Structure formats: C-alpha cells, structure tokens
C-alpha cells in the first residue's frame, strides 16, 4: 500500500513537471498535437500507478520521450510555417464581409447552431452583426463585428485616457511576491517603505496591490 502511494506521488509530480515543460496552456487552447500528447501521457502514467508489478521507469521513460517529441515539434513549428500547417492546420474563415461561407462550414462539419453557440460565447447574439468570423486551429473562433455594431474606442471618441499601468498583488498573506513586483517595476524595498509610512507591519497585511505609478491598496489581516 505504501509503495503504491509513493509511486503515485512520484508519477503525479513527474506528470505535472512534464506538462509544465510543454508550456502554459489551457485545455481549450491546446493544438491537436499537444492535446494528443497530453492524453497519452495521462494514460501512460496511470498504468504503473495501478499495477505495482510494472517498473516505474516504464511510465517515466515514455513520458520523457513524448515530452521531448513535443518540444522538438514546437521548435520545428517555430522555424517552419509548412511544418506547423501540416501538424496544426490553418485558421479558416467561415464568415467574410457578412456572408456565411457554406462550403467552409461543410469542410469543418460545423453546423450553424454550433457557430451561433460560439458567437454567443463572444457576446455576439446575432449573426447579422458579424463581418468576419475565423475558426482558429484550436477550435476557438475570432469575431470582428460590423462597424455599426462595434464598441467605440477612446480613440474613436477623441478621449485621452490616463495610463495607470498594470496593478498587481505584491503582498499576499504577509508575504512579498517578487514575481508580481517585476510586473509593476517595483522592489521589495518600495513595498516596505509604503508599509513603514502607513505604520503597518508586513505580517499584518492580508493583501496589498501596487501599480507602476505607486498607487496602492492595503487590506489588513483579520483575526
């Protein structure tokens, strides 16, 4: 029993490492090759978890090979558009200038009901509003509405908006988050100076946000 638990923990940690090596993507954003590799890795790792008579290396080695293949394929896709097109396909336009391209819909085996569902997920509730719709290689759709249905931008209205830069969480539960500090171009000393001016201890801070302009918000820890 203990051996099974240890093997499961090892494989669990190893699969997480393997997925991290493949890159940060959500399931819906995976390319076909990445989705296939992810599914195979999960199946391979499950076998030595369930059967302790199988050496643990029988799960680790194939996963390493698959991750290596995926990383190699990713490098080739970065260098060769033809190779990327071969493995991942190409985006397909299904609506052009407001016209639904039925031949492309049939090519994708995409029904008008499926397309409308995708459009609603993009906050477009009428197909009449769409100027262009493109089905991406991962299955998501990109939509451009007709000019009269688009939200006006500040540039369209001639309004200048002040750039407050990115605001990030720099303190969480009494701990300074170095990665977040890099996002807002601040340092740990900047945080400590702010807390000092506020007569606040770091250990008493539950949450603190900060932006590049120095604007901050502090939420104290409650007992």
């Amino acid at each position: 029993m203990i051996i099974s638990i240890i093997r499961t923990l090892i494989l669990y940690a190893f699969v997480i490492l393997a997925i991290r090596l493949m890159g940060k993507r959500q399931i819906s954003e995976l390319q076909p090759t990445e989705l296939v590799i992810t599914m195979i890795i999960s199946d391979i790792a499950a076998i030595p978890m369930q059967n302790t008579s199988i050496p643990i290396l029988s799960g680790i080695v194939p996963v390493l090979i698959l991750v290596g293949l995926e990383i190699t394929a990713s490098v080739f896709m970065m260098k060769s558009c033809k190779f990327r097109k071969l493995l991942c396909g190409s985006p397909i336009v299904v609506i052009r200038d407001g016209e639904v391209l039925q031949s492309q819909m049939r090519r994708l085996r995409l029904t008008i009901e499926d397309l409308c569902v995708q459009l609603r997920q993009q906050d477009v509730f009428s197909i009449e509003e769409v100027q262009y719709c493109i089905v991406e290689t991962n299955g998501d759709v990109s939509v451009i509405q007709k000019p009269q249905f688009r939200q006006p931008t500040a540039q369209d209205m001639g309004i200048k908006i002040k750039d407050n830069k990115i605001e990030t969480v720099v303190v969480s539960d009494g701990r300074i988050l170095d990665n977040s500090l890099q996002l807002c171009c601040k340092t740990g000393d900047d945080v400590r100076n702010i807390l000092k001016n506020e007569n606040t201890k770091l250990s008493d801070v539950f949450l603190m946000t900060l932006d590049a302009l120095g604007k901050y918000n502090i939420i104290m820890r409650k007992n």
Side-chain angles (χ1 to χ4, degrees), residues 40-154:
I40 294 176
I41 285 176
S42 62
D43 286 340
I44 290 175
I47 295 173
M49 284 185 189
Q50 297 171 351
N51 191 346
T52 56
S53 64
I54 298 177
I56 195 169
L57 286 178
S58 297
I60 292 178
V61 173
V63 170
L64 283 175
I65 294 173
L66 290 171
V67 171
L69 288 173
E70 173 55 32
I71 293 175
T72 302
S74 298
V75 173
F76 278 114
M77 283 191 289
M78 291 175 61
K79 296 182 179 296
S80 172
C81 293
K82 292 182 178 180
F83 185 73
R84 177 178 176 84
K85 183 177 180 180
L86 176 65
L87 291 186
C88 301
S90 302
I92 296 177
V93 178
V94 293
I95 298 179
R96 179 185 285 117
D97 288 326
E99 178 187 358
V100 178
L101 305 181
Q102 298 180 34
S103 60
Q104 299 290 52
M105 296 276 289
R106 287 193 293 269
R107 176 183 172 187
L108 292 171
R109 296 186 297 278
L110 182 68
T111 66
I112 196 68
E113 289 82 7
D114 293 333
L115 179 60
C116 288
V117 169
Q118 295 271 33
L119 292 176
R120 288 195 293 271
Q121 291 175 347
Q122 300 289 329
D123 292 329
V124 177
F125 291 87
S126 173
I127 201 168
E128 295 294 327
E129 299 179 10
V130 180
Q131 183 174 10
Y132 287 94
C133 180
I134 303 170
V135 179
E136 306 293 353
T137 56
N138 61 1
D140 289 341
V141 298
S142 300
V143 180
I144 299 178
Q145 291 177 280
K146 294 176 181 177
Q148 63 268 33
F149 295 108
R150 298 175 194 169
Q151 292 287 344
T153 64

Side-chain angles (χ1 to χ4, degrees), residues 10-28:
I10 293 173
L11 288 167
Y12 172 74
F14 182 72
V15 170
I16 290 177
L17 176 62
I19 299 299
R20 286 290 304 276
L21 289 174
M22 288 172 55
K24 293 184 177 181
R25 289 180 185 264
Q26 296 180 6
I27 293 298
S28 60

